[in-house]
Amino acid sequence: MINVIGLGYIGLPTALMLQTGGTQVIGTDVDPEKTNQLNAGNITFEEKGLCELFQEAVKKGIVFTTAYKQADVYLIAVPTPYNKRSRKIDPSYVVAAVKKVLEVCPDEAIIIIESTISPNTIDHFIRPIAKGKAVHFVHAPERIIPGNMIHELRHNARIIGADTVEIAEKVKAIYATFCKGEIVLTDIRTAEMSKVAENTYRDINIAYANELAMICNTSGLDVYEVIKVANMHPRVNILQPGPGVGGHCISIDPWFLVGDYPDIVHVIKAAREVNDAMPEYILEKIAEIMDKNNIKDLKKVGLYGLTYKENIDDIRESPTLQLLTSMKRHLACGIGVYDPYIQYDVVENQYHSLDKFIEDMELIVIMVAHDEIIKHQEKMRDRLVFDTRGRLSLQNIYRL
């Protein structure tokens, strides 16, 4: 039996996948509202294929509770934020979860940490609290992206970091019940570093694209055409620029390296600063467009998209929320916001109708390229549009 700790964006689909793969799972979360919802037959966030997977797991007997249970294996998938002052990982959620597990687990239990952690987190923060307890720690970092979680859980390669080959093989057998991708065995510290390195690579690439966009804007060039042509080279793969980097991985994990290795890390730090500054840059561009078109009232400006990427309901570290925070620092904010995936109010002046949102705005800023707005872009043909994602085909619109 496996006790999965943390039933959020990573823990819940992983628990469901394990259960449908033939393993008895108890899903534990400290939030009783979440477990009550799950026990009532309702999923707690939207994700392609999640509802069907949930129903199958329920039929096969998955259990949801707020209690930690005795099990042979524990899988921890709790948040790992960072301290914005020190730039180091805040391991408190993982430490608290491990402490609770140690209260109930039998000797020789395997404790798998899926949460993304900085290098040496298990050595520095986890092993010390387990002294005197015969348990085995493993790091198996998640590698999935919202919007395609189910497919990636089944097909992405996985990394298993363990102290011994014997324990690594046992954990590999668990993941092999649902994972069709290659499962690579290594040591814990390598597994910790590899996940952070993956996300940092993407962050640096995005920062390069964003800086290139600013250079092209200054030079009167089309950054999208420049990237398209450059990427025709077989060894070049420049990502697309955008209004900032969001989510719980790429926008946070590189800071772990900045915080832990401040005297060594330079490129990574610079990339983070470029990407974190993009919402401010977008704000400057909005002001330029307003001035050029004689728009005086911020209530006539609308931000399309609250989530951090397209076609999901995840708003963690959203560039739109970062931009709104910047606006409130500079001026009283009356700007309108709309996102089809966010049905509840999270900000002021939030709309819940696309048509009403478009009707009320003179300038619409595309912060997220949801399929909805691409499909209905013709509705904005009489509006000024600033497409920060470069995804619309309308004529005479502003781009990065």
Side-chain angles (χ1 to χ4, degrees), residues 210-228:
N210 285 335
E211 202 160 82
L212 195 60
M214 289 185 269
I215 292 169
C216 288
N217 183 264
T218 301
S219 302
L221 293 165
D222 181 343
V223 67
Y224 303 102
E225 181 68 12
V226 169
I227 290 174
K228 182 181 79 173

Side-chain angles (χ1 to χ4, degrees), residues 9 27 47 86 93 103-104 117 121 135 155 170 232 250 266 281 283 307 351:
Y9 287 97
E47 174 67 33
S86 69
Y93 293 96
E103 291 175 6
V104 300
I117 51 182
T121 294
V135 294
H155 298 285
K170 286 183 178 180
M232 290 176 178
I250 298 177
H266 303 294
Y281 178 73
L283 182 55
T307 62
Y351 284 71

Side-chain angles (χ1 to χ4, degrees), residues 80-116:
T80 47
Y82 78 106
N83 184 308
K84 293 189 177 181
R85 183 169 296 177
S86 69
R87 270 76 181 274
K88 294 177 180 285
I89 189 173
D90 173 2
S92 58
Y93 293 96
V94 174
V95 169
V98 170
K99 283 181 176 178
K100 285 283 191 181
V101 166
L102 292 172
E103 291 175 6
V104 300
C105 73
D107 286 345
E108 302 303 320
I110 296 173
I111 302 174
I112 304 167
I113 297 174
E114 275 215 11
S115 306
T116 301

